[in-house]
Amino acid sequence: MTRKKIFAANWKMNNMTAEVATFFGAIGDSCVALKDREVIVTPSFPYLAQAAALAKGKNITLAAQNFHFEENGAFTGEVSLTMLADLGIRTVLIGHSERRHVMGESHEHLRKKVAFAQKKGFRTIFCIGETLAQREKGELFAVIDMQLSSAFDGNLTCPPEDMVIAYEPVWAIGTGVNATGAQAQEMHDYVRKFMDKHYGRKDITILYGGSVKPDNVKELMTMPDIDGALVGGASLKADSFSKLIFWDR
Ligand code: 13P
């Protein structure tokens, strides 16, 4: 099966009204005819509606960086999947290292988010990745096993295309030090085999994230098990993000 490549911009807590307008103005219609790859943008919540209006007709998918696993109610500061659906959004990030390590989201919390996203028919980009200390201690594969099995055990019911995994080594995020093509490929191959063995999902889409830039994108994207990129810093402006989307042109 040929897996469609995905280039996803994770803007994190960056880009406001003017930058959002500039980004969509600059990216223009460049993605309209794309068929072999999908472009995703995840703005901060206050700008989702603005971005959704600007992305209309541009063949760019909007996604959300976060949500809460309850339907609605007394959850100050949280955003529900029903609200996202109301804006036409059906793709969400779960398990980003900043949510795990900075916001303290536990395996159990993430398991609930995965279950709820599936129940509501959302597509999930589920992020995994080891810290440098874990890699140096030889715990790399054990950490990934734990992150995958704690989130999915008995819980992976969505259609195959609705579960995308993003391997983002924590030491590569925002550091300028990306995993080499070989390091990333080793893990993507491992994750693909893990998902096949435990869930029968051999053709799952697996993205790489962590300091993806125009000068390393080719090395990463030519690896057989890397199906695209989840990008922070280099996705904030249309010119650098376009160089990633169109890395092979
Ligand atoms: P950088 O591309 O800035 O390293 O961020 C990666 C990331 O965390 C994407 O989710």
Side-chain angles (χ1 to χ4, degrees):
M1 185 183 117
T2 315
R3 296 179 301 272
K4 194 173 178 173
K5 281 209 166 21
I6 292 179
F7 292 87
N10 177 9
W11 284 354
K12 310 188 181 185
M13 202 166 70
N14 299 293
N15 279 354
M16 301 197 290
T17 309
E19 288 91 8
V20 174
T22 302
F23 178 94
F24 282 99
I27 212 149
D29 290 332
S30 62
C31 301
V32 168
L34 282 179
K35 290 201 170 61
D36 64 340
R37 63 200 79 185
E38 179 182 1
V39 177
I40 299 179
V41 175
T42 66
S44 297
F45 284 130
Y47 307 102
L48 266 177
Q50 179 200 3
L54 292 170
K56 217 166 241 153
K58 304 242 182 269
N59 196 23
I60 294 174
T61 305
L62 278 202
Q65 297 177 19
N66 191 31
F67 65 95
H68 194 266
F69 54 75
E70 296 286 348
E71 197 81 48
N72 63 284
F75 300 99
T76 301
E78 296 294 328
V79 169
S80 73
L81 288 182
T82 313
M83 292 168 180
L84 295 177
D86 190 37
L87 292 181
I89 286 164
R90 66 165 302 271
T91 302
V92 286
L93 297 184
I94 302 181
H96 192 279
S97 81
E98 288 143 21
R99 304 275 345 152
R100 292 176 190 266
H101 299 290
V102 184
M103 309 303 166
E105 292 189 5
S106 64
H107 292 310
E108 176 57 12
H109 188 95
L110 299 176
R111 194 190 63 74
K112 287 182 181 162
K113 286 172 96 165
V114 168
F116 196 60
Q118 291 185 119
K119 182 178 161 200
K120 301 295 280 185
F122 273 66
R123 175 174 59 166
T124 295
I125 301 177
F126 187 74
C127 307
I128 56 173
E130 81 290 358
T131 64
L132 188 58
Q134 288 166 333
R135 180 172 271 263
E136 285 174 350
K137 277 194 272 175
E139 295 170 0
L140 175 58
F141 296 105
V143 167
I144 298 301
D145 282 6
M146 177 63 185
Q147 291 177 343
L148 292 173
S149 54
S150 61
F152 300 148
D153 255 1
N155 190 20
L156 196 56
T157 53
C158 62
E161 63 276 13
D162 278 354
M163 180 53 71
V164 174
I165 293 185
Y167 171 56
E168 299 204 309
V170 180
W171 48 270
I173 295 178
T175 59
V177 181
N178 60 289
T180 62
Q183 284 173 320
Q185 170 57 29
E186 179 187 36
M187 181 51 77
H188 283 231
D189 173 63
Y190 181 82
V191 170
R192 189 171 308 291
K193 287 179 178 147
F194 184 99
M195 294 303 290
D196 186 27
K197 181 172 167 199
H198 296 281
Y199 304 103
R201 297 194 176 209
K202 188 162 159 245
D203 283 322
I204 197 158
T205 295
I206 310 173
L207 312 181
Y208 168 79
S211 296
V212 179
K213 307 277 185 235
D215 64 1
N216 60 30
V217 64
K218 186 172 176 191
E219 180 194 348
L220 292 158
M221 291 309 123
T222 45
M223 292 293 151
D225 288 296
I226 299 184
D227 304 323
L230 179 57
V231 187
S235 76
L236 296 178
K237 293 204 161 70
D239 61 345
S240 53
F241 191 44
S242 293
K243 286 184 185 141
L244 306 182
I245 300 167
F246 300 105
W247 64 275
D248 52 349
R249 298 208 178 153

